[in-house]
């Protein structure tokens, strides 16, 4: 049984996943990661298998712990700014427009309200079937010829379950436009920061946008979960890490070129961001940015946790198709030889 891992982290901005061969659904698992600010047309559902996860969704900071789950609606910007080293996340992207075409009217225009850390404990029972279906999607039985069909079925069940049982509200078109305008501004500023020269006055960026530095910092805090200065510092740390990985310059030279005048500050900030000292980073030749890293032990733990969640898939399927015991939905039996149709033929 294989596990679908998240291979590379997305860049900043819009992600176009495109349709998949598995029914417009993509499941993944990742560990410690630094995921940039982005958005996409698909709904994203995440739940924490282990550890702690800090997510910023449309300007709201979400602190998630083990078993917490969240639905990130389509076209909503989000990113993670810090994840504990032992964190394991299971996620699924659902193409809501595809499932709406299959028979879920209004699915793509709804704004689903699912953040378990904001709901009562009883809401966790409502989310458990989602976790079961997601877990099975992440566990890919590649040796079974019917696996693609199975995954398409489970993806449809997951969409049906969300549609039936998760509370929602109607999308606010005015709010969506404001979100789009704010998103465009923050991306424009991020692009400017990424391209700027070392000696450029950062205050000029705020002036060009008609903002004060404090307002700019609050804008970053709302969208990215960190302030403007912290974001700029992380860019310099990433640049230093890239230099450590690809050049033979001394650590002192790299530190100075990055604008870090105090070695103690540089070493401390570097360790916080990358989990090791600059010298350890260079010896390990790690990637220049924090990435999703899973050890062999992690993989075994992921499989154990996912199999445990997937055990509830039968109950999840019952709820998704509306056949749960004790349900109040009316079920009408339709058959070609029912009593009503027989009586009608007899009268002819």
């Amino acid at each position: 049984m294989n596990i679908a891992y998240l291979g590379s982290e997305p860049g900043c901005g819009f992600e176009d996943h495109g349709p998949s061969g598995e029914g417009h659904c993509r499941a993944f698992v990742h560990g410690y990661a630094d995921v940039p600010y982005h958005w996409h047309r698909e709904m994203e559902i995440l739940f924490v298998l282990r550890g702690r996860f800090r997510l910023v969704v449309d300007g709201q900071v979400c602190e998630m712990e083990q078993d917490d789950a969240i639905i990130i609606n389509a076209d909503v910007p989000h990113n993670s700014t810090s994840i504990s080293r032992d964190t394991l996340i299971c996620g699924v992207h659902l193409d809501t427009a595809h499932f709406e075409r299959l028979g879920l009217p209004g699915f793509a225009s709804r704004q689903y309200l699912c953040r378990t850390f904001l709901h009562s404990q009883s809401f966790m029972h409502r989310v458990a079937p989602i976790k079961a279906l997601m877990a099975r999607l992440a566990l890919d039985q590649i040796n079974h010829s019917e696996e693609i069909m199975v995954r398409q079925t489970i993806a449809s069940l997951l969409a049906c379950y969300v549609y039936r049982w998760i509370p929602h509200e109607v999308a606010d078109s005015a709010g969506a436009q404001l979100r789009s305008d704010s998103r465009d501004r923050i991306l424009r500023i991020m692009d400017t920061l990424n391209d700027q020269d070392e000696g450029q006055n950062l205050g000029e960026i705020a002036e060009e946008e008609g903002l004060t530095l404090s307002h700019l910092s609050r804008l970053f805090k709302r969208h990215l979960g960190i302030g403007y200065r912290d974001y700029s510092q992380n860019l310099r740390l990433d640049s230093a890490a890239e230099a450590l990985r690809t050049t033979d310059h001394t650590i002192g030279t790299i530190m100075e070129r990055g604008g870090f005048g105090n070695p103690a500050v540089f070493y401390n900030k570097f360790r916080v961001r990358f989990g090791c000292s600059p010298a350890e980073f260079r010896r390990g030749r790690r990637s220049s940015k924090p990435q999703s890293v899973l050890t062999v032990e992690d993989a075994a733990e992921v499989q154990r946790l996912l199999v445990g969640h997937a055990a509830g898939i039968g109950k999840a399927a019952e709820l998704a198709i509306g056949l749960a015991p004790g349900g109040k939905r009316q079920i009408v039996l339709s058959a070609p030889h029912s009593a009503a149709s027989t009586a009608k033929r007899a009268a002819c």
Side-chain angles (χ1 to χ4, degrees):
M1 190 173 281
N2 258 17
I3 303 170
Y5 292 108
L6 182 62
S8 60
E9 302 304 328
C12 296
F14 174 72
E15 285 185 17
D16 187 2
H17 298 140
S20 74
E22 299 181 348
H24 296 251
C25 174
R26 171 178 175 259
F28 58 88
V29 173
H30 70 73
Y32 170 77
D34 182 25
V35 182
Y37 181 80
H38 69 288
W39 67 95
H40 35 71
R41 294 190 184 96
E42 298 79 13
M43 168 193 292
E44 182 169 353
I45 313 175
L46 300 171
F47 82 91
V48 183
L49 292 167
R50 186 183 71 186
R52 295 174 61 87
F53 182 48
R54 188 166 184 263
L55 191 68
V56 182
V57 181
D58 198 18
Q60 296 183 345
V61 178
C62 306
E63 300 284 349
M64 300 175 63
E65 300 182 351
Q66 183 171 328
D67 289 330
D68 272 331
I70 186 172
I71 291 180
I72 304 171
N73 291 289
D75 289 318
V76 172
H78 55 283
N79 71 294
S80 64
T81 57
S82 61
I83 303 175
S84 63
R85 298 284 167 177
D86 67 338
T87 296
L88 296 172
I89 306 292
C90 179
V92 167
H93 290 143
L94 284 180
D95 182 351
T96 53
H98 169 75
F99 292 104
E100 181 167 320
R101 289 191 297 270
L102 286 183
L104 299 179
F107 188 45
S109 60
R110 291 180 174 183
Q111 297 292 297
Y112 287 94
L113 308 173
C114 177
R115 299 184 182 186
T116 56
F117 43 89
L118 297 179
H119 293 276
S120 64
Q121 189 62 31
S122 62
F123 192 78
M124 296 296 283
H125 297 296
R126 185 175 294 196
V127 174
I130 292 178
K131 296 177 183 176
L133 295 165
M134 289 175 62
R136 178 57 185 85
L137 284 168
L139 292 167
D140 189 357
Q141 298 189 93
I142 57 176
N143 295 326
H144 292 244
S145 58
E146 73 279 10
E147 177 66 7
I148 290 179
M149 181 180 290
V150 169
R151 291 169 66 80
Q152 290 174 344
T153 301
I154 294 172
S156 295
L157 287 172
L158 176 59
C160 283
Y161 184 87
V162 171
Y163 187 79
R164 282 179 181 271
W165 298 106
I166 299 303
H168 66 275
E169 59 187 15
V170 179
D172 178 8
S173 57
Q177 183 59 49
L178 286 173
R179 182 165 59 238
S180 177
D181 293 343
S182 184
R183 184 176 67 196
D184 290 344
R185 166 175 264 183
I186 201 72
L187 283 173
R188 186 167 62 248
I189 295 170
M190 290 169 70
D191 287 341
T192 303
L193 281 173
N194 289 335
D195 296 337
Q196 71 176 332
D197 297 326
E198 270 183 33
Q200 186 175 5
N201 181 2
L202 301 183
E204 293 175 3
I205 301 171
E207 186 176 347
E208 289 173 2
E209 291 291 331
L211 302 172
T212 63
L213 275 174
S214 59
H215 189 177
L216 181 60
S217 188
R218 286 195 296 272
L219 190 66
F220 264 77
K221 189 76 172 179
R222 188 166 75 245
H223 281 269
L224 306 179
I226 59 175
Y228 165 79
R229 295 186 187 281
D230 289 334
Y231 179 81
S232 177
Q233 177 181 263
N234 283 344
L235 288 180
R236 291 186 290 131
L237 287 169
D238 291 344
S239 178
E242 179 67 12
L244 286 168
R245 191 175 68 85
T246 60
T247 75
D248 293 325
H249 298 315
T250 66
I251 294 175
T253 298
I254 292 171
M255 179 190 71
E256 289 176 4
R257 289 181 177 179
F260 293 94
N262 187 323
V265 171
F266 174 68
Y267 276 74
N268 179 57
K269 297 294 184 182
F270 193 97
R271 182 175 290 278
V272 169
R273 183 147 179 81
F274 295 98
C276 61
S277 70
E280 291 168 338
F281 183 95
R282 170 166 271 174
R283 286 196 297 271
R285 296 290 177 177
R286 301 187 188 184
S287 172
S288 59
K289 289 187 179 182
Q291 297 288 315
S292 176
V293 178
L294 291 175
T295 65
V296 174
E297 292 77 14
D298 286 336
E301 179 68 359
V302 167
Q303 181 153 321
R304 184 187 71 81
L305 292 168
L306 290 177
V307 168
H309 282 289
I313 198 168
K315 180 69 171 179
E318 287 181 350
L319 289 165
I321 61 179
L323 290 178
K328 296 181 180 180
R329 295 178 180 272
Q330 183 180 8
I331 298 176
V332 179
L333 178 64
S334 176
H337 303 296
S338 66
S341 60
T342 301
K344 184 177 180 182
R345 285 196 302 272
C348 295

